[in-house]
């Protein structure tokens, strides 16, 4: 959070930090934390008629490389604005939103108590936030119904404040493009599991293009389950949305 505000302070014409919990008047996390995102745009104080892009990290607490990627992206969009023509064009033509840590409670617990913790901290043993989204929650490809499983999908669809916040955020901004970073793997995930999409072949070909662009050699696969964040954006708002599994371990040296 301090780092986000440091960028806002250094680049006030490009960056604005939003406490989304307060901004939308939503409940905080189980342990009372708020969720944050930084907006990057050439006219950051204005809600311009431009496509909105979302990058989000750490739906799963142990994926510690993902906030690093998000923070590095913020660094590139700010320090290279006006220097790199591709970055300058992206900032000029999009409203870019980056949320480095979506599972704030689980992230803190992972650092302090259990470095392989995945879920949030809802009783009795946490909910897998990337199985809690409504689309496909009840499908055969949904998460586990056992509260003690790592992939427990929660007692009901969108039961968690983190999920609710993302849905309000997404329905407000109608993101044209979404990248949801996870670890680990080196592949791009697309579409659904056990559910069909009329553009599955297109989504597959685009996932290959994205995989090549990020250096993963065209490696792709279908989603791990339904009820995932990027699938909700795809299904409900027509977002060009993918999940990227990055790196080769949960916690690189």
């Amino acid at each position: 959070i301090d780092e986000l505000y440091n960028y806002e302070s250094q680049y006030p014409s490009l960056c604005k930090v939003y406490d989304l919990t307060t901004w939308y008047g939503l409940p905080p996390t189980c342990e009372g934390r708020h969720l944050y995102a930084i907006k990057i745009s050439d006219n950051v104080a204005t809600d311009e008629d431009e496509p909105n892009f979302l990058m989000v990290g750490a739906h799963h607490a142990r994926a510690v490389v993902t906030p690093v990627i998000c923070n590095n992206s913020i660094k590139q969009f700010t320090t290279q604005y006006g220097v790199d023509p591709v970055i300058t064009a992206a900032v000029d033509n999009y409203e870019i939103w980056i949320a480095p840590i979506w599972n704030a409670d689980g992230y803190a617990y992972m650092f302090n108590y259990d470095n392989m913790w995945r879920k949030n901290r809802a009783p009795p043993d946490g909910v897998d936030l990337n199985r809690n989204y409504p689309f496909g929650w009840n499908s055969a490809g949904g998460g586990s119904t056992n509260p003690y499983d790592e992939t427990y999908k929660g007692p009901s669809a969108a039961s968690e404040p983190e999920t609710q916040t993302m849905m309000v955020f997404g329905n407000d901004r109608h993101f044209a493009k979404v990248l949801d970073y996870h670890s680990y793997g080196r592949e791009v995930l697309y579409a659904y599991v056990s559910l069909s999409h009329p553009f599955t072949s297109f989504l597959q070909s685009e996932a290959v293009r994205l995989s090549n662009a990020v250096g993963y050699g065209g490696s792709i696969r279908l989603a791990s389950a339904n009820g995932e964040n990027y699938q909700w954006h795809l299904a409900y708002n027509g977002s060009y949305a993918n999940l990227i599994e990055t790196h080769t371990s949960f916690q690189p040296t």
Side-chain angles (χ1 to χ4, degrees):
I1 295 168
D2 288 344
E3 187 160 353
L4 296 182
Y5 280 112
N6 283 338
Y7 278 109
E8 180 184 73
S9 177
Q10 291 178 56
Y11 301 94
S13 64
L14 295 178
C15 297
K16 181 173 175 57
V17 178
Y18 285 80
D19 175 342
L20 299 172
T21 305
T22 299
W23 182 257
Y24 292 119
L26 296 170
T29 66
C30 166
E31 295 182 345
R33 293 182 174 88
H34 288 204
L35 298 175
Y36 290 80
I38 190 168
K39 177 186 175 185
I40 303 171
S41 178
D42 59 329
N43 294 303
V44 73
T46 304
D47 189 5
E48 296 185 281
D49 186 16
E50 295 176 339
N52 281 241
F53 164 73
L54 173 65
M55 177 186 292
V56 58
H59 264 81
H60 293 148
R62 65 191 177 195
V64 295
V65 72
T66 65
V68 177
I69 290 173
C70 290
N71 286 348
N72 184 64
S73 298
I74 298 168
K75 179 181 178 182
Q76 299 305 315
F77 283 129
T78 52
T79 64
Q80 297 304 302
Y81 181 75
V83 178
D84 184 310
V86 174
I87 288 175
T88 302
V91 174
D92 285 347
N93 294 314
Y94 283 83
E95 296 203 331
I96 298 166
W97 296 81
I98 301 179
I101 297 171
W102 204 254
N103 181 2
D105 290 355
Y107 196 68
Y109 186 81
M110 180 274 303
F111 268 105
N112 292 317
Y113 300 104
D114 178 355
N115 71 311
M116 293 304 289
W117 188 257
R118 170 183 170 100
K119 299 183 284 186
N120 74 357
R121 294 297 299 157
D125 195 54
V127 170
D128 183 343
L129 295 177
N130 210 41
R131 302 292 185 272
N132 190 237
Y133 287 85
F135 185 80
W137 188 88
N138 269 323
S139 72
S144 171
T145 58
N146 182 345
Y148 294 92
D149 284 348
E150 282 197 332
T151 58
Y152 175 52
K153 65 183 181 179
S156 60
S159 58
E160 306 309 295
E162 298 92 338
T163 310
Q164 296 163 20
T165 303
M166 179 60 77
M167 290 169 63
V168 171
F169 190 25
N171 285 333
D172 178 36
R173 302 319 308 170
H174 298 284
F175 293 107
K177 301 180 181 180
V178 176
L179 284 183
D180 189 344
Y181 272 101
H182 288 248
S183 68
Y184 66 96
R186 286 170 60 86
E187 55 194 359
V188 174
L189 279 59
Y190 70 97
Y192 315 134
V193 173
S194 75
L195 295 171
S196 61
H197 191 287
F199 302 149
T200 295
S201 61
F202 168 75
L203 297 173
Q204 181 182 33
S205 64
E206 291 298 282
V208 171
R209 293 182 63 198
L210 182 55
S211 175
N212 283 320
V214 299
Y216 293 165
S219 180
I220 64 169
R221 65 176 170 87
L222 290 171
S224 301
N226 293 322
E228 297 193 351
N229 169 53
Y230 87 90
Q231 297 167 331
W232 179 85
H233 289 283
L234 171 64
Y236 280 79
N237 283 313
S239 305
Y240 187 105
N242 292 91
L243 185 153
I244 295 183
E245 293 279 8
T246 187
H247 224 279
T248 56
S249 64
F250 287 122
Q251 296 170 355
T253 57

